[in-house]
Amino acid sequence: MAQALIAFALSALGLLGLTGCDTQTTEAEVQKPALVVNGFKLSAGELQQEQALADATSREPRTGAAGEEPEWLSRLIERELLVQEAQRQGRDRERDFMRSIERLWKEAIIRLLVSRKAREIASTVQVYDSEIEASYQRSANEVRARIMAFGTEAAAQQVAKAGALETVLSEFATELAEDSGWQWYHGGAGLDPELESLVLTTEPGTTSAPVVRQGRWIVVAVAERQSRPLGSPAELREIRQAIRQQKETEAMERWIAQLRSQARI
């Protein structure tokens, strides 16, 4: 009897075609039961979906030897038998099971919601040429600078006003908590935004005014600046994509923040 049912299931799949429903296949044929396991019915269309999923996730042959049950169909039947046995034992009514189902349901519906919102955001985000150029120039401008951190404001002020930097630094050596030495920096080099702005906007041959960062007084000295010409089309495309991703991420974060602000917690 089982072999006859399996043969019927496979013949139903053959009628539908292994790669998709024929345009002449009627809805009734697709929905017609093709496999019954202890009263549980699977239509020809559902069987085809199961086979397609098995083909996409397995390297095993999609059909067995002549007269044999395909591996994907065997797993499908075994899975249904195990589900039925669990239900017979009442496992589907246990608290742990219900909690796990609730977690899976929440995860699935959140993925669906976020995926659809991401597509909606992506369809509205625009990246302008001026933004690409500004971003490129930010990374193309390279500055040879020195970042110094002092323990007191007085020492930082003296160094910031100094004409001969090295001479003044020697006078405040005990106050110098950290010194990067002379290095090349560019936009996006990993500095925090305020410090990066200070490095990139300080004129060559000058020293910035002190700023407070994490309890220390920071002074930036800039020796020289150089700029690279406009990048290649491939580089500009990468910049466009990076800007787009950043805008989409920020839009998603704003949406989530809005949901939170409207909630009563």
Side-chain angles (χ1 to χ4, degrees):
M1 181 65 178
Q3 291 295 329
L5 285 174
I6 291 168
F8 175 69
L10 293 177
S11 66
L13 281 176
L15 289 174
L16 286 178
L18 295 178
T19 58
C21 295
D22 187 87
T23 54
Q24 301 301 317
T25 303
T26 66
E27 183 65 22
E29 290 173 331
V30 173
Q31 297 300 327
K32 183 179 179 180
L35 178 66
V36 181
V37 181
N38 290 336
F40 178 80
K41 299 177 182 179
L42 274 173
S43 69
E46 290 170 326
L47 275 182
Q48 189 180 44
Q49 292 175 0
E50 291 286 349
Q51 185 183 30
L53 179 61
D55 289 343
T57 58
S58 175
R59 295 182 179 179
E60 298 173 358
R62 57 191 297 168
T63 57
E68 290 185 2
E69 180 179 302
E71 182 65 26
W72 69 269
L73 184 57
S74 176
R75 288 198 301 268
L76 176 63
I77 293 171
E78 290 172 1
R79 185 182 69 191
E80 180 55 34
L81 289 173
L82 290 171
V83 169
Q84 291 180 13
E85 178 61 18
Q87 291 174 327
R88 187 186 69 79
Q89 295 182 17
R91 304 302 184 193
D92 58 330
R93 296 187 294 276
E94 292 181 358
R95 180 175 297 179
D96 288 345
F97 171 76
M98 299 304 295
R99 286 176 176 172
S100 65
I101 289 297
E102 183 181 8
R103 285 195 298 270
L104 290 173
W105 177 82
K106 287 182 177 180
E107 290 173 3
I109 199 169
I110 287 172
R111 282 197 300 269
L112 178 62
L113 174 68
V114 171
S115 175
R116 290 184 176 177
K117 186 63 180 181
R119 289 198 298 270
E120 175 189 324
I121 290 173
S123 68
T124 61
V125 166
Q126 293 185 338
V127 179
Y128 300 99
D129 291 343
S130 58
E131 294 175 311
I132 298 173
E133 184 176 355
S135 177
Y136 180 81
Q137 291 301 332
R138 178 170 163 266
S139 62
N141 284 327
E142 296 181 318
V143 176
R144 193 164 75 92
R146 186 171 181 175
I147 302 174
M148 298 159 286
F150 295 90
T152 65
E153 181 183 7
Q157 290 286 3
Q158 288 298 320
V159 171
K161 296 175 182 178
L165 182 63
E166 300 296 338
T167 301
V168 176
L169 279 178
S170 63
E171 296 178 10
F172 294 96
T174 57
E175 298 288 344
L176 186 58
E178 190 174 344
D179 184 0
S180 71
W182 292 104
Q183 296 186 37
W184 284 99
Y185 296 93
H186 60 81
L191 300 174
D192 70 72
E194 185 178 358
L195 191 54
E196 178 184 289
S197 176
L198 198 62
V199 169
L200 296 179
T201 57
T202 300
E203 291 297 322
T206 66
T207 305
S208 72
V211 295
V212 179
R213 301 293 296 169
Q214 298 178 347
R216 293 178 175 178
W217 292 87
I218 306 297
V219 175
V220 172
V222 173
E224 57 182 305
R225 176 184 289 117
Q226 62 184 23
S227 298
R228 292 187 290 119
L230 194 62
S232 65
E235 189 173 4
L236 296 179
R237 281 195 297 271
E238 289 180 3
I239 293 174
R240 178 183 293 275
Q241 184 60 26
I243 294 174
R244 170 174 287 277
Q245 289 179 350
Q246 181 180 356
K247 285 187 170 184
E248 290 177 1
T249 299
E250 291 173 351
M252 182 66 75
E253 291 174 349
R254 287 195 300 271
W255 174 64
I256 294 175
Q258 181 183 19
L259 292 177
R260 189 176 179 88
S261 68
Q262 294 172 347
R264 285 182 284 182
I265 300 176

